[in-house]
Amino acid sequence: VTFSPAMLTRSAGGSATFFCNISRENDSSAEYSLNWYKETNHSQAQKIAEMSRNNSLTKTEKYLLTNHTPAFKIEILNLHQNDSGSYYCGLIAFFEPDKVMESNRSHLVVTAAPEKTNATDEPEMEEGDPLDHVKAMLPGILLLAGAVVLLIFGYLTVMYRRGGMIPCGGFTKEEKPPTVSVSTVDYGVLEFQWEQCTQVPPETQPVDQTEYATIIFPEEKPVTPERGKKHQD
């Protein structure tokens, strides 16, 4: 019983394939089965899969076994770094003196997934992103531009009002100048007459010297409507 290849190195996420070859010189119709084992750090071997001679295909979540007599293939799927270790197969022959025969050990090394794979995928994803980002940000950009325009308009309005260019009350209709009342003067004639009164004896009435005058305004003075009316009366 041989197990090959002797050494495999694979990346995490991939798969690894080993072959178990058996050679029977005598009766090829004898019944037998195969077991696959795994050892980690020279620890006790752990059985991971088995397959009888009559099965052509056996599949589990982790292993895929295929019968290509006299070669049997085992494929380890979805590799993880803890899958690293030594693998071998064992032939169990029924009705024979030597019932168990083990193959040689093959070593599997599982490395971390290369970062280059992720790096090559990122630009493809980023190529379609800018347009989507612009579409998503367009409403926000428009709102921001509108707010800026409103702020500029408000600032200019305040500055114009402070500078006296626009009246605080807004634009109003042209106001007529207030009418100025002109006061007029009416001229009249004041006449003072001598009042006849009984004379008081000097003992009881103090000395009083009073003079009376008649003031007559000349006709060249402006005649107002009121004065003309008085003359007519």
Side-chain angles (χ1 to χ4, degrees):
V1 180
T2 59
F3 201 71
S4 61
M7 181 73 178
L8 276 181
T9 301
R10 295 289 184 268
S11 300
S15 62
T17 302
F18 291 99
F19 292 91
C20 182
N21 296 285
I22 61 174
S23 175
R24 295 184 59 81
E25 298 177 355
N26 299 328
D27 188 5
S28 59
S29 63
E31 294 294 329
Y32 61 88
S33 65
L34 287 175
N35 292 343
W36 279 267
Y37 302 91
K38 175 187 176 183
E39 289 181 354
T40 304
N41 296 328
H42 304 286
S43 61
Q44 184 177 0
Q46 177 185 2
K47 179 181 176 180
I48 58 175
E50 66 177 332
M51 187 177 191
S52 64
R53 173 186 174 183
N54 298 325
N55 292 342
S56 59
L57 181 68
T58 301
K59 184 178 181 181
T60 64
E61 183 179 356
K62 187 67 177 177
Y63 305 101
L64 176 62
L65 309 177
T66 308
N67 184 353
H68 300 288
T69 307
F72 293 82
K73 181 177 73 173
I74 179 172
E75 186 175 1
I76 306 172
L77 308 174
N78 192 20
L79 291 174
H80 297 281
Q81 288 185 296
N82 57 5
D83 290 326
S84 300
S86 298
Y87 292 84
Y88 65 97
C89 64
L91 173 65
I92 302 176
F94 300 105
F95 310 110
E96 290 188 8
D98 297 331
K99 292 184 178 181
V100 179
M101 291 180 289
E102 294 183 355
S103 68
N104 57 298
R105 270 64 170 166
S106 295
H107 194 65
L108 172 64
V109 177
V110 180
T111 59
E115 296 181 358
K116 293 181 180 180
T117 303
N118 296 334
T120 55
D121 294 341
E122 288 179 358
E124 297 179 358
M125 297 176 62
E126 292 178 356
E127 287 179 359
D129 290 341
L131 184 59
D132 295 336
H133 285 306
V134 171
K135 289 181 180 179
M137 294 175 62
L138 185 59
I141 294 174
L142 293 178
L143 290 177
L144 181 60
V148 171
V149 171
L150 290 177
L151 288 175
I152 294 175
F153 180 76
Y155 174 76
L156 293 177
T157 302
V158 172
M159 294 303 294
Y160 273 111
R161 286 181 177 177
R162 290 183 178 179
M165 295 185 179
I166 299 177
C168 294
F171 294 96
T172 59
K173 295 182 179 179
E174 182 179 358
E175 298 179 356
K176 296 181 179 180
T179 57
V180 179
S181 60
V182 179
S183 59
T184 60
V185 179
D186 188 15
Y187 297 92
V189 178
L190 300 179
E191 296 181 355
F192 298 90
Q193 298 179 356
W194 182 269
E195 182 179 359
Q196 301 292 333
C197 60
T198 59
Q199 294 185 356
V200 181
E203 296 80 14
T204 61
Q205 182 178 4
V207 178
D208 185 10
Q209 295 180 355
T210 304
E211 296 180 358
Y212 295 90
T214 299
I215 303 174
I216 299 174
F217 294 95
E219 290 299 333
E220 62 269 11
K221 296 294 184 180
V223 179
T224 62
E226 290 81 3
R227 185 183 176 200
K229 183 179 181 182
K230 287 181 181 180
H231 279 290
Q232 292 176 3
D233 295 339

